[in-house]
Amino acid sequence: MANISTIYKLSFLAFTYFIQVYGTSCPVLECWFVQEKPGRGGGFPAAMIQEKSLLYINTDPESEQTKSQQGPSADISHDRVYYITDPAAILCSSSLHPPEGSVHKPQCEINPFMPQPSTVQWAVPLTDSAHSPIYLQADWYSAALQGLDGQLALSSVMRAPTATKEPTVVLSVSSRTPLVRSRLGEPVVLDCGFWAEASSPLSSSGFAVEWRYQFRGDGRLVLAYDGKTDRFAETKEKGAGLDFTALHETGNASLILQEAEVRHTGTYICTAYLPYLLAQVAVELEIVEPPSLSIFPSPLPLSVPGQVVKVQCEASGFFPLSLEFHWELTGPDGKVRPLGQGSVTGHRQGPDNTYSQTTRLELDSAKLDLGRGGEVTCVAVHPGGTRRASVTLNVIGVNGPSIEDSMAMVAVALGLYGLIKIVSWTFSSGSDDTNSQEKKVK
């Protein structure tokens, strides 16, 4: 009874939540019906058939509104028109509504689906009976959708009475943030929620939730929870968890990473299981950390025409790899002169898997228009943001002294004059003392 109560609570609260978030105005969805071509064999990859289809969405199975709407266009077969009941109204999301006349449309694919027992250990208890329920004897479909501008990822499993085109959503998994960007060290929440039709007999046996990680061929189990036996699977992942209360009360299966690291970059697959059914969505996590810049030497030495001043700029602690350098000189007149990218080294990877890179620049007045100097700025352009670091360059003796040069020379002259006076006074005072002592001896 506890499992049944949980599923009913999940369904009611999730329904209320999705109505508030996604709205109740249901679109007519243009979709692709994709299935394997029959008769293919011999070990060859199965050929696929792809046909245009229409999905008329409603939230009330008793409503005749969708069936009374205008029929499909001439290029869509009547066999590929479906009247779908979605009690949770997730298919009614505004992100699945393209603006009038827009060429951009949500992505949609519908496929035949075959219910079968799961083999993963945290979902096996859901189908501990050796017999398949009569409820499974029907036409089953799965639909995968991507909303406009990446606002929604949705996967639904639907059941239709045999030989009808009127499926009802039984299980839905969705994410409102299919792409998440985070800086290093920040807590991250990867959104995922699931909804199960409470009136389905499959809902009475509980549920299971799983998160997997994939990146460039690497994969691992991050977290798995068996809702029927109330157990988490053992994993080696650290710092990952679920909001246990929200999971049971609202179907919120969002993955919580306590502290973002470079190794977290990749694709996370959220899967929800019911007996014989599963639905999943993918969430991309990008770790983007801008560089820290430092310039050496600082301050720069005084420069004269013909002298070459070498300066370098190091960008450290950034991720991902993409980085572009360039140098600028802002003169006393405020004008900015480009100085090029300098000589750029290769990337170096640190213990935390972030990168460092250095650019070196030779400030040669014979080759570069340095004028009387100014602010030399190192600019690093990175996906995480543009960073700048500056140092002052003073060039003296260019086409007669500037006011700054004159003041510097006056200061030097006064300093030399004072030094001469001190030395002169010291010698004069010492000579007078010697003469005085000689007179006393006589």
Side-chain angles (χ1 to χ4, degrees):
M1 288 300 293
N3 285 325
I4 297 176
S5 175
T6 297
I7 290 293
Y8 271 92
K9 185 186 295 184
L10 279 170
S11 300
F12 175 76
L13 292 174
F15 171 75
T16 304
Y17 168 78
F18 283 117
I19 288 293
Q20 293 173 348
V21 173
Y22 297 116
T24 57
S25 178
C26 298
V28 177
L29 295 174
E30 297 179 10
C31 207
W32 287 102
F33 181 88
V34 181
Q35 65 177 339
E36 291 185 5
K37 189 175 182 179
R40 190 77 171 181
F44 294 100
M48 306 302 292
I49 298 175
Q50 183 171 281
E51 302 173 79
K52 288 185 177 180
S53 64
L54 281 182
L55 311 183
Y56 289 94
I57 313 298
N58 207 331
T59 58
D60 182 5
E62 303 300 326
S63 174
E64 296 294 326
Q65 180 180 356
T66 54
K67 298 179 183 180
S68 65
Q69 296 183 32
Q70 185 176 352
S73 58
D75 62 340
I76 298 178
S77 168
H78 284 276
D79 289 337
R80 293 293 169 250
V81 178
Y82 299 90
Y83 299 93
I84 297 176
T85 299
D86 182 13
I90 312 173
L91 288 169
C92 301
S93 164
S94 60
S95 66
L96 299 177
H97 280 271
E100 190 71 27
S102 174
V103 296
H104 299 289
K105 298 183 183 297
Q107 299 177 35
C108 176
E109 181 177 311
I110 184 170
N111 317 90
F113 180 84
M114 179 67 68
Q116 54 188 343
S118 176
T119 57
V120 296
Q121 64 182 34
W122 42 90
V124 167
L126 301 178
T127 53
D128 48 13
S129 171
H131 303 285
S132 300
I134 297 177
Y135 179 77
L136 296 181
Q137 298 176 12
D139 292 336
W140 290 84
Y141 302 92
S142 66
L145 299 97
Q146 292 282 341
L148 299 169
D149 301 322
Q151 297 179 37
L152 175 70
L154 171 63
S155 177
S156 295
V157 177
M158 301 171 287
R159 178 189 182 275
T162 303
T164 70
K165 301 296 180 182
E166 301 177 11
T168 297
V169 176
V170 178
L171 173 66
S172 284
V173 177
S174 64
S175 175
R176 292 165 293 167
T177 54
L179 175 61
V180 178
R181 290 186 176 92
S182 173
R183 293 190 59 174
L184 289 174
E186 294 181 347
V188 179
V189 177
L190 303 181
D191 180 75
C192 180
F194 77 94
W195 176 88
E197 171 57 67
S199 64
S200 167
L202 302 182
S203 299
S204 61
S205 296
F207 66 91
V209 171
E210 166 193 294
W211 279 94
R212 286 188 179 273
Y213 168 87
Q214 291 183 350
F215 184 67
R216 296 179 180 175
D218 178 32
R220 65 177 183 266
L221 177 66
V222 178
L223 184 148
Y225 173 71
D226 176 1
K228 183 175 183 178
T229 61
D230 193 25
R231 293 180 181 178
F232 280 94
E234 292 185 7
T235 68
K236 296 181 180 180
E237 193 73 23
K238 297 181 180 179
L242 301 173
D243 184 333
F244 193 74
T245 301
L247 175 64
H248 278 271
E249 291 186 352
T250 64
N252 182 355
S254 298
L255 180 67
I256 303 170
L257 302 177
Q258 294 179 0
E259 188 173 334
E261 302 176 24
V262 169
R263 68 182 182 89
H264 290 139
T265 293
T267 302
Y268 291 78
I269 300 174
C270 174
T271 305
Y273 296 88
L274 290 183
Y276 304 97
L277 308 181
L278 67 84
Q280 59 186 202
V281 293
V283 180
E284 295 286 337
L285 174 59
E286 294 181 359
I287 303 300
V288 182
E289 184 67 20
S292 298
L293 298 187
S294 53
I295 289 186
F296 307 97
S298 181
L300 295 177
L302 288 175
S303 176
V304 297
Q307 179 185 359
V308 177
V309 176
K310 296 181 179 180
V311 60
Q312 73 177 35
C313 174
E314 182 181 30
S316 60
F318 62 89
F319 190 86
L321 197 62
S322 175
L323 184 73
E324 293 183 2
F325 280 115
H326 66 268
W327 293 85
E328 299 172 349
L329 174 65
T330 305
D333 56 1
K335 292 183 179 179
V336 178
R337 300 173 179 84
L339 299 177
Q341 69 173 5
S343 175
V344 181
T345 67
H347 293 87
R348 303 177 300 278
Q349 194 166 20
D352 62 351
N353 293 320
T354 61
Y355 295 100
S356 298
Q357 195 172 24
T358 301
T359 174
R360 297 181 176 91
L361 182 68
E362 292 188 351
L363 299 169
D364 186 350
S365 58
K367 298 179 181 179
L368 300 172
D369 180 16
L370 300 179
R372 293 190 175 92
E375 289 291 319
V376 177
T377 302
C378 170
V379 183
V381 181
H382 185 265
T386 299
R387 296 294 185 265
R388 297 171 177 268
S390 299
V391 67
T392 300
L393 172 67
N394 290 310
V395 181
I396 60 175
V398 180
N399 298 326
S402 64
I403 294 177
E404 292 83 357
D405 294 342
S406 298
M407 293 178 64
M409 287 187 289
V410 168
V412 171
L414 289 174
L416 289 174
Y417 175 75
L419 180 61
I420 292 170
K421 291 292 289 182
I422 292 172
V423 172
S424 174
W425 178 82
T426 301
F427 277 103
S428 175
S429 176
S431 177
D432 290 344
D433 291 343
T434 301
N435 293 335
S436 175
Q437 288 176 2
E438 290 176 352
K439 286 179 182 182
K440 290 181 178 179
V441 170
K442 291 179 179 181

